[in-house]
C-alpha cells in the first residue's frame, strides 16, 4: 500500500491540532486536581461507612438466654429491672449483654447494650442498640477510656455523628505500644505484662499529658515498677520500688 504525498501533507497539517487538543485536556485535568481542597490531618469523612460490626442485637436470643436465670424469670419485663446475660466464646472473648426494662408506655425507648472483651486484653468494644435491635452507637475503650473514634447511627443505619478522641493527642496507645516494644520489650496490649492509662489533667497544656504504665513482674510483684512517658516528647521516666528514677 502506497501513501501519496498529499495524504502526508494533510496529516502534517492536522497532527498539531490533535496534539493541542490532547494537551489542553491534560492541562485542564491537572488544574482541576490542584484546586481541590486538601484534606486536613484530622479530617473525618462521615459519608464513608467504617468497617465495623453492624450486626443487629438478637433480642429473642438474649431474652431466651436470660430467662434461664431465676432472677430474670421472677422479674421479666418489670419496669426498672436490669436484665443481663454473659457468654464466653471459644476464642477467649466474653460478650456481656444487658438492658433495663422501661415503663410500658415507653417501650420504644428501651435500649440494649453489649460489651465485648478478650482475656488479657485492655480493649473493650461497646455497642448500643435501640428497642428494635438496630445498632445506634459503636465505640472502643482502652480499659475505661474512650479511644479512636465512636460512631452514632440513625434508624436507617447511616452515620450521623463521629467523635474523634485522638485528635488532641500527639501519640496514641498504638504509638506507645510500638515504642515500648522496641525500647524495653513491654507489650501494653497484654495486661499480664503491663497496665497502662493515659493521664490528661490539663487539656490546654500538652506537656501535662502522659502515659502511666505499671510494669508487672510475673515472678515477684516486688519487682513491679512504673513508667511515665510524656505524650509530647516520648521522654521516659522509671520509678522503682526503691524510689529511684531514670
Amino acid at each position: 500500500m502506497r501513501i501519496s504525498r498529499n495524504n502526508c501533507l494533510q496529516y502534517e497539517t492536522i497532527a498539531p491540532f490533535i496534539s493541542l487538543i490532547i494537551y489542553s485536556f491534560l492541562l485542564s485535568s491537572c488544574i482541576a486536581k490542584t484546586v481541590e481542597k486538601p484534606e486536613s490531618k484530622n479530617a473525618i469523612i462521615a459519608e464513608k461507612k467504617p468497617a465495623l460490626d453492624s450486626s443487629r442485637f438478637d433480642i429473642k436470643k438474649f431474652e431466651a438466654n436470660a430467662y434461664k436465670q431465676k432472677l430474670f424469670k421472677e422479674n421479666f419485663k418489670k419496669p426498672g429491672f436490669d436484665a443481663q446475660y454473659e457468654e464466653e466464646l471459644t476464642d477467649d472473648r466474653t460478650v456481656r449483654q444487658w438492658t433495663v426494662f422501661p415503663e410500658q408506655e415507653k417501650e420504644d425507648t428501651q435500649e440494649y447494650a453489649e460489651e465485648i472483651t478478650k482475656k488479657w486484653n485492655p480493649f473493650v468494644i461497646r455497642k448500643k442498640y435501640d428497642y428494635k435491635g438496630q445498632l445506634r452507637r459503636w465505640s472502643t475503650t482502652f480499659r475505661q477510656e474512650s479511644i479512636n473514634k465512636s460512631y452514632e447511627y440513625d434508624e436507617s443505619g447511616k452515620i450521623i455523628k463521629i467523635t474523634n478522641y485522638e485528635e488532641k493527642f500527639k501519640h496514641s496507645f498504638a504509638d506507645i505500644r510500638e515504642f515500648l516494644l522496641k525500647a524495653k520489650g513491654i507489650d501494653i496490649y497484654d495486661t499480664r505484662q503491663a497496665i497502662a492509662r493515659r493521664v490528661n489533667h490539663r487539656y490546654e497544656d500538652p506537656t501535662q499529658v502522659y502515659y502511666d504504665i505499671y510494669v508487672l513482674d510475673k515472678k515477684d510483684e516486688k519487682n513491679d515498677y512504673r513508667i511515665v512517658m510524656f505524650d509530647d516528647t516520648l521522654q521516659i521516666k522509671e520509678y522503682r520500688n526503691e524510689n529511684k528514677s531514670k
Side-chain angles (χ1 to χ4, degrees):
M1 179 178 178
R2 299 182 60 186
I3 302 175
S4 66
R5 180 178 178 79
N6 289 336
N7 289 338
C8 290
L9 290 173
Q10 290 176 358
Y11 176 77
E12 292 174 357
T13 305
I14 296 173
F17 290 101
I18 296 175
S19 300
L20 180 61
I21 292 171
I22 294 173
Y23 176 77
S24 300
F25 174 77
L26 293 174
L27 180 61
S28 62
S29 299
C30 292
I31 293 173
K33 289 181 179 180
T34 57
V35 297
E36 289 179 355
K37 186 178 180 181
E39 184 178 331
S40 65
K41 181 180 178 182
N42 293 319
I44 302 174
I45 302 175
E47 291 74 21
K48 291 185 178 180
K49 188 176 180 64
L52 305 176
D53 177 10
S54 57
S55 58
R56 293 173 62 89
F57 188 88
D58 193 333
I59 299 174
K60 290 184 177 180
K61 180 181 178 181
F62 167 73
E63 291 185 350
N65 287 326
Y67 196 75
K68 298 174 184 177
Q69 304 171 32
K70 181 180 179 181
L71 188 63
F72 186 88
K73 291 180 181 179
E74 296 172 351
N75 297 275
F76 182 63
K77 292 193 175 181
K78 285 185 179 179
F81 177 67
D82 183 1
Q84 300 185 31
Y85 174 72
E86 189 173 293
E87 180 180 2
E88 294 184 3
L89 306 180
T90 55
D91 58 356
D92 286 335
R93 289 187 303 157
T94 298
V95 179
R96 179 173 172 259
Q97 300 174 331
W98 72 93
T99 187
V100 178
F101 292 110
E103 300 292 339
Q104 293 300 315
E105 63 269 18
K106 298 179 180 179
E107 283 187 336
D108 61 344
T109 64
Q110 184 169 354
E111 296 178 344
Y112 297 89
E114 185 175 69
E115 286 184 354
I116 302 174
T117 58
K118 191 169 185 178
K119 192 175 182 180
W120 312 123
N121 193 301
F123 293 99
V124 181
I125 296 176
R126 303 177 188 272
K127 304 180 187 181
K128 185 177 75 174
Y129 303 83
D130 63 16
Y131 71 104
K132 294 180 181 179
Q134 294 177 320
L135 183 67
R136 302 304 291 270
R137 192 173 190 275
W138 191 102
S139 64
T140 310
T141 61
F142 190 95
R143 298 174 67 206
Q144 296 297 322
E145 180 182 2
S146 296
I147 62 169
N148 300 331
K149 298 175 183 177
S150 66
Y151 302 86
E152 295 182 33
Y153 306 83
D154 62 12
E155 292 182 356
S156 64
K158 180 182 178 181
I159 297 174
I160 56 176
K161 183 179 179 181
I162 300 178
T163 303
N164 187 350
Y165 296 99
E166 301 299 319
E167 57 187 354
K168 61 180 176 289
F169 301 109
K170 188 173 181 180
H171 297 94
S172 66
F173 280 101
D175 297 328
I176 300 303
R177 181 199 187 211
E178 182 179 0
F179 187 89
L180 281 177
L181 276 173
K182 291 180 179 179
K184 295 182 174 296
I186 300 169
D187 188 356
I188 63 171
Y189 285 7
D190 185 348
T191 56
R192 292 169 296 184
Q193 297 185 35
I195 305 296
R197 66 181 181 128
R198 182 161 51 196
V199 182
N200 185 22
H201 290 310
R202 299 180 182 176
Y203 288 90
E204 71 278 4
D205 186 355
T207 63
Q208 296 298 315
V209 180
Y210 60 90
Y211 290 83
D212 202 353
I213 302 155
Y214 287 90
V215 182
L216 309 176
D217 188 292
K218 294 181 180 179
K219 297 180 180 179
D220 188 354
E221 63 180 14
K222 292 181 180 180
N223 295 325
D224 295 353
Y225 66 99
R226 178 174 168 233
I227 290 177
V228 171
M229 183 181 296
F230 293 91
D231 182 50
D232 58 339
T233 62
L234 290 183
Q235 177 188 4
I236 290 180
K237 289 186 177 181
E238 289 187 11
Y239 297 90
R240 300 282 178 169
N241 290 333
E242 59 270 21
N243 294 321
K244 293 182 180 180
S245 61
K246 293 183 180 180

